[in-house]
Amino acid sequence: MDLRIFTEPQQGASYDTLLSVARATEELGFDAFFRSDHYLKMGGVDGLPGPTDAWITLAGLARETSRIRLGTLMTAGTFRLPGVLAIQVAQVDAMSGGRVELGLGAGWYAAEHTAYGIPFPKEKFSRLEEQLAIVTGLWETPAGETFSHEGVHYRLTDSPALPKPAQRRVPVLLGGMGKERTPRLAARYADEFNVPFASAEDSADQFGRVRRAAEEAGRKPDDLVYSNALVACVGRDDAEVARRAAAIGREVEELKANGLAGTPEEVVEKIGRYAATGSSRIYLQILDLDDLDHLELIADRVLPRVR
């Protein structure tokens, strides 16, 4: 099981805070640092000092880390034109020496669009389909050739399809709990499929849908990585778990029911339930980004027991 650190900076984090977490991620032996792509806080936090842009953040971290993978869970398709996104991701991939992964979703948070003047189209899923076709098509076009796309939402004519990423193929992550269109889209474009904040049982059901869709599309189901995103709240004892739960405004029992919470032994046992579904990667949602001791505990007492 790979363990990756997943942050939600819209809840309140500066670039310097994110850099500290990314450096700890690398030094402690985790596989990757990922972040959400949002411009507005959620819930009862103040969100200070304000939002940071996902791909600007990752560009900075690309130059200040050397080993960990870097990516988004998920980039909002409503925020960027697909041609521009392809350029951004390819550039950050080059800046990192080929360590970038692109999680791409349709976008859903209407309030952040209203707050920052970003159009919020009604038809988001069909746009996502075209975005995936364009981004991957631009990257896959051989050097010296051009790429064109004539779609309902986007039209590209004779694009030079440059720059190219450093990697031969930037891994593409898709996810969600949609029962029909989402698995079909994953079967066509995804290298990894992620189920966010769901039980092991619901994850197993969704992974099964994606596997069937992959077979129907002529792909081997095991060609995809299957992963989960889960909130983490780990403590050496019950008191430390309760302190960390209070720091993020959550209840211990709710966290144990819906995330990876408890002592290291409890968390290792629950990770095993997800491994049994076919999940081989977990994104640990870390909500208190100032608590680096939390990462150290997970690295010391959980990570060695699940690899």
Side-chain angles (χ1 to χ4, degrees):
M1 181 72 75
D2 292 334
L3 296 185
R4 296 181 159 191
I5 300 303
F6 168 44
T7 63
E8 301 271 9
Q10 76 278 354
Q11 299 300 88
S14 67
Y15 173 77
D16 287 341
T17 298
L18 295 171
L19 175 59
S20 295
V21 176
R23 284 176 169 163
T25 298
E26 184 156 273
E27 291 164 4
L28 293 170
F30 294 100
D31 179 59
F33 174 94
F34 271 58
R35 59 156 292 164
S36 61
D37 188 18
H38 286 294
Y39 291 136
L40 193 67
K41 70 180 181 71
M42 303 167 193
V45 299
D46 59 26
L48 295 175
T52 50
D53 182 85
W55 286 100
I56 292 176
T57 298
L58 295 177
L61 297 180
R63 308 302 290 177
E64 300 197 71
T65 59
S66 60
R67 178 187 62 80
I68 51 173
R69 307 290 292 178
L70 301 166
T72 50
L73 203 66
M74 302 280 188
T75 287
T78 49
F79 288 177
R80 297 165 182 88
L81 297 171
V84 175
L85 181 61
I87 292 170
Q88 290 172 318
V89 177
Q91 182 178 2
V92 178
D93 193 50
M95 293 168 70
S96 72
R99 294 184 285 124
V100 159
E101 304 184 11
L102 171 63
L104 186 59
W108 62 270
Y109 189 18
E112 67 188 335
H113 295 74
T114 302
Y116 286 97
I118 303 168
F120 191 62
K122 182 178 180 180
E123 289 297 328
K124 292 181 288 296
F125 198 90
S126 60
R127 286 177 181 270
L128 176 62
E129 290 188 78
E130 284 195 41
Q131 289 165 335
L132 286 162
I134 292 165
V135 171
T136 58
L138 288 167
W139 290 340
E140 292 167 0
T141 298
E145 298 184 16
T146 60
F147 174 84
S148 296
H149 174 87
E150 186 72 21
V152 174
H153 304 291
Y154 305 102
R155 294 171 180 81
L156 287 74
T157 303
D158 295 334
S159 172
L162 297 172
K164 301 301 184 193
Q167 299 174 86
R168 183 187 63 81
R169 179 180 174 87
V170 172
V172 173
L173 288 69
L174 298 178
M177 291 299 292
K179 291 181 171 57
E180 297 181 4
R181 292 193 298 173
T182 297
R184 287 200 299 269
L185 200 63
R188 184 172 180 184
Y189 292 108
D191 299 281
E192 177 179 338
F193 188 81
N194 181 267
V195 172
F197 312 114
S199 68
E201 295 74 18
D202 288 343
S203 297
D205 290 343
Q206 186 68 341
F207 292 154
R209 296 182 190 101
V210 173
R211 285 180 169 277
R212 290 190 292 274
E215 288 182 339
E216 291 168 3
R219 291 183 69 182
K220 295 179 180 178
D222 287 342
D223 285 347
L224 282 81
V225 173
Y226 299 88
S227 66
N228 290 91
L230 294 162
V231 63
C233 183
V234 188
R236 293 170 181 83
D237 52 34
D238 290 344
E240 191 167 87
V241 174
R243 176 176 63 79
R244 289 203 162 105
I248 60 174
R250 303 277 286 271
E251 298 293 330
V252 171
E253 292 309 311
E254 178 268 321
L255 286 168
K256 286 187 176 185
N258 298 311
L260 296 176
T263 63
E265 293 72 24
E266 290 177 292
V267 169
V268 167
E269 187 277 331
K270 192 162 186 182
I271 287 174
R273 294 186 227 166
Y274 284 91
T277 71
S279 180
S280 62
R281 180 173 292 161
I282 292 180
Y283 294 81
L284 302 172
Q285 185 194 44
I286 304 296
L287 295 176
D288 185 353
L289 299 182
D290 294 316
D291 185 6
L292 296 183
D293 181 62
H294 191 198
L295 298 188
E296 292 176 7
L297 175 63
I298 296 169
D300 182 52
R301 300 277 298 277
V302 176
L303 186 56
R305 298 175 61 183
V306 300
R307 280 184 163 166

